[in-house]
Amino acid sequence: MSATLSRIYRHPIKSIGVEELKDASLEEGRVLPCDREWAVLHERSKVGVGAEGRADSWGQKINFVIGRSAPGLMGVTSRMLDNGHILLEHPEQWHLEIDPEREADQRKLFEWLRTFWPDSAPRPTALVRGPDRAFTDDPLPYVSLIGQASLDDLSARVGKQIDRRRFRANLWVEGWEPFAEMDLIGKTVRVGEAELQLRACIGRCRATDANIETGERDIDMLEELERHYGHTDLGVFCLVTKPGRIARGDKIEVL
């Protein structure tokens, strides 16, 4: 199967913004650099704030402000700036640049989020950095990957083009057959200079129901996946087994 790396995405703040990259350097046993490095806790979180504003533990996604509870967040884009600040943008909000380590800027972020966060949901309380790992949905330092043909097949069956950014995957692959990535679990692929072992399927949640452009739920993604494929998975988790540089257009080779 001839395949190439077509897209690279990261999400500096978990569930709040997506940023497209041209290239990245992968480290063995680590997530994509700056991916889900930060997350917003809320008043019902079981994760606490430790030294230097870091979370005192990794936590499941229920502990954070996420798109499943606030679909409007799915329309946020983000960008890491050279000075370490994060720029957040949304078609229905003003642009916000924050220093994530500055308390005053964290309060600005919480105010900015009020537009998207339901009154019935627990209010945001703290922006924290991970203790020793990223705030990925799994405690292992996975990089996520989806074959574009898998999404194209789903879009055709649903009858509408589904934006890839709904799925918050790091890497998108062109050239594989639909759902071929699931058949490769246990195998290793070479992407540019790096190597990744495909480890597990990604089960989806209701955050993917939301339209990226409008922030409104316009599809029952779990129902559609179950109806057409008999499961609610899309994409796979990968573990970086050999470090190296990756870039859009890199050839992908199954080893």
Side-chain angles (χ1 to χ4, degrees), residues 116-152:
F116 316 111
W117 198 239
D119 292 338
S120 59
R123 63 181 180 83
T125 56
L127 176 63
V128 293
R129 179 179 266 160
D132 57 0
R133 69 189 77 175
F135 288 114
T136 49
D137 289 347
D138 192 281
L140 291 176
Y142 284 142
V143 173
S144 53
L145 176 153
I146 300 178
Q148 182 63 48
S150 302
L151 180 57
D152 291 344

Side-chain angles (χ1 to χ4, degrees), residues 78-93:
S78 60
R79 182 156 51 96
M80 290 288 296
L81 305 179
D82 292 340
N83 59 3
H85 291 190
I86 301 174
L87 177 66
L88 300 170
E89 299 176 274
H90 189 279
E92 297 181 1
Q93 266 285 36

Side-chain angles (χ1 to χ4, degrees), residues 20-38:
E20 185 170 2
L21 305 174
K22 293 180 179 179
D23 52 40
S25 291
L26 298 182
E27 298 181 28
E28 183 176 353
R30 305 288 294 181
V31 302
L32 197 74
C34 298
D35 187 49
R36 297 166 172 91
E37 182 177 1
W38 298 85

Side-chain angles (χ1 to χ4, degrees), residues 13 53 55 111 204 214 228 236:
I13 305 176
E111 179 65 23
R204 291 300 165 181
T214 67
H228 296 296
V236 295

Side-chain angles (χ1 to χ4, degrees), residues 133-196:
R133 69 189 77 175
F135 288 114
T136 49
D137 289 347
D138 192 281
L140 291 176
Y142 284 142
V143 173
S144 53
L145 176 153
I146 300 178
Q148 182 63 48
S150 302
L151 180 57
D152 291 344
D153 188 81
L154 175 60
S155 295
R157 292 171 186 260
V158 170
K160 64 186 301 181
Q161 187 60 46
I162 302 172
D163 194 305
R164 67 175 68 86
R165 292 171 295 172
R166 293 192 191 219
F167 297 93
R168 296 296 197 250
N170 298 126
L171 309 180
W172 286 83
V173 178
E174 293 274 5
W176 286 344
E177 293 295 317
F179 296 93
E181 59 271 26
M182 293 185 179
D183 296 332
L184 294 175
I185 288 176
K187 295 185 180 295
T188 296
V189 297
R190 180 180 294 124
V191 184
E193 300 173 348
E195 293 179 6
L196 301 91

